[in-house]
């Protein structure tokens, strides 16, 4: 089974050594916190904690790749590239990190690779492991301690889809405030998670 | 020329009579305010005020069509129908109003038909007349008198693209607060208008 074989072959020390050469120290600490929070969230939701930890460890492999390299790797792998990705290729780092996990560490587990690829923008229909890593990336303790963040952390423990929706909304508010482009996949993820959550959900405007 | 021929054939009294049978009185008043504001904005931006007024008058023809009728007409005309339109067919009323303008009033002016079709969600790359009607629909006096609305009205007088961007952001904030679906075309319009405006514009997330 690909899940167990992937778990067996991934050498955590090898990944950490690679990260030391490709990611600055503060980001390495973020990655370790995501690994830990993803593991904890997976346990809380009766998912495989080891798989979640591995996805967390691998999620930011390409975080510091230069824009040209991200675009080149994405094009070579025929990833979908939107106008927003072209304006801000950094958004491709999640999808490209999944490519690096395959090439550098021979990761074949589709669930782990999807969770890595979807950690920034999510994806409509994504699995629960992807939700866990998406949330761990946004909500790990290093992101701060506002009441809003603490509420999202509590929500993530009880309802992954609702937490994804609300985390998307928080990101959208940030992007609006900071006059940044909004990626269409973030909206698709947000609408999908909203429709899976309790409350008003099938109206867009009165 | 289609613009002048369209202007010549549209009978305002005929449209008003049709609206009395298809749109409640308060919405008729909104339509008249949009007609007036679109005309004024067009004059301020050296566009054709008569064309803008006609688009304003026609923009909400299908506003009260039932969801099934909107979907049926949209399908019959091979309009793009997204998941969000299916969840909330009311969003199709703008595109369908353009169809009604063609069928009921023989409107052929492409600029007017586009402005009617784009009045709710906008469209990336839309022309200035479409921007004027989009803004008049959101900002006409009947929408209220908050400082935010007044600032948008002032902005609309000086910079149509920036006003479209900020009006989209206001709508997005409303949709987030009210837990509504967000249409992907609203995001595409917003990103497009943002990129045409001064300030930070080619980053989506740090």
């Amino acid at each position: 089974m690909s899940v167990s074989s992937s778990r067996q072959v991934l050498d955590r020390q090898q990944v950490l050594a690679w990260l030391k050469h490709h990611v600055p120290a503060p980001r390495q600490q973020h990655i370790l916190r995501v690994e830990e929070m993803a593991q904890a969230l997976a346990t809380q939701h009766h998912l495989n904690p080891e798989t979640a930890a591995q996805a967390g460890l691998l999620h930011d492999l390409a975080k510091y790749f230069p824009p040209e390299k991200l675009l080149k790797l994405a094009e070579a792998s025929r990833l979908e590239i939107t106008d927003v990705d072209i304006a801000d290729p950094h958004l491709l780092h999640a999808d490209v990190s999944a490519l690096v996990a395959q090439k550098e560490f021979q990761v074949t587990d589709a669930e782990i690779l999807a969770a890595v690829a979807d950690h920034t923008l999510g994806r409509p229909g994504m699995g629960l492991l992807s939700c866990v890593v998406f949330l761990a990336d946004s909500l790990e303790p290093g992101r701060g301690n506002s009441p809003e963040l603490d509420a999202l952390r509590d929500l993530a423990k009880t309802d992954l889809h609702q937490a994804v929706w609300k985390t998307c909304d928080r990101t959208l508010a940030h992007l609006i405030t900071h006059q940044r482009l909004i990626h269409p996949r973030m909206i698709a993820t947000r609408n999908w998670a909203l429709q899976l959550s309790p409350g008003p959900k099938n109206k867009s405007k009165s």
Side-chain angles (χ1 to χ4, degrees), chain A:
Chain A
M1 193 175 106
S2 68
V3 173
S4 66
S5 70
S6 167
R7 283 208 302 275
Q8 285 163 359
V9 297
L10 188 67
D11 181 337
R12 185 169 184 273
Q13 293 308 317
Q14 187 193 355
V15 178
L16 291 174
W18 190 95
L19 287 170
K20 278 188 185 160
H21 287 92
H22 294 84
V23 169
R27 177 59 51 167
Q28 291 173 41
Q29 293 305 309
H30 160 75
I31 288 169
L32 294 177
R33 290 191 298 265
V34 172
E35 180 190 33
E36 189 176 342
M37 184 167 172
Q39 189 172 35
L41 271 180
T43 301
Q44 279 151 349
H45 291 280
H46 311 292
L47 304 170
N48 187 320
E50 196 178 338
T51 309
Q54 289 187 12
L57 184 67
L58 297 162
H59 85 283
D60 259 353
L61 294 173
K63 179 79 182 177
Y64 288 85
F65 283 15
E68 305 74 30
K69 187 174 180 178
L70 289 169
L71 274 170
K72 195 176 159 189
L73 289 169
E75 282 164 8
S77 292
R78 297 171 180 265
L79 295 181
E80 187 192 5
I81 301 175
T82 68
D83 291 347
V84 176
D85 296 308
I86 291 168
D88 183 11
H90 179 72
L91 284 168
L92 293 164
H93 84 270
D95 284 290
V96 173
S97 291
L99 300 176
V100 177
Q102 288 177 284
K103 287 174 188 168
E104 291 286 335
F105 306 110
Q106 293 73 52
V107 176
T108 57
D109 184 329
E111 215 181 355
I112 291 178
L113 293 173
V116 171
D118 299 342
H119 83 262
T120 303
L121 301 171
R123 192 177 301 269
M126 67 181 175
L128 295 178
L129 186 80
S130 289
C131 293
V132 158
V133 176
F134 176 92
L135 293 169
D137 179 47
S138 287
L139 306 178
E140 58 91 355
R143 295 296 194 184
N145 281 299
S146 67
E148 187 189 12
L149 274 172
D150 289 340
L152 286 172
R153 287 169 185 138
D154 286 342
L155 186 58
K157 291 175 190 166
T158 58
D159 188 328
L160 290 173
H161 291 132
Q162 201 172 350
V164 167
W165 156 33
K166 302 272 186 178
T167 298
C168 287
D169 278 358
R170 183 171 180 271
T171 301
L172 289 176
H174 174 88
L175 295 174
I176 289 169
T177 300
H178 292 84
Q179 308 189 349
R180 301 284 181 85
L181 296 176
I182 295 172
H183 197 289
R185 182 140 62 90
M186 172 67 75
I187 296 299
T189 299
R190 181 259 182 200
N191 285 342
W192 163 76
L194 166 65
Q195 287 180 301
L196 289 179
S197 301
K201 57 189 175 187
N202 61 351
K203 297 284 270 180
S204 65
K205 196 178 178 186
S206 60

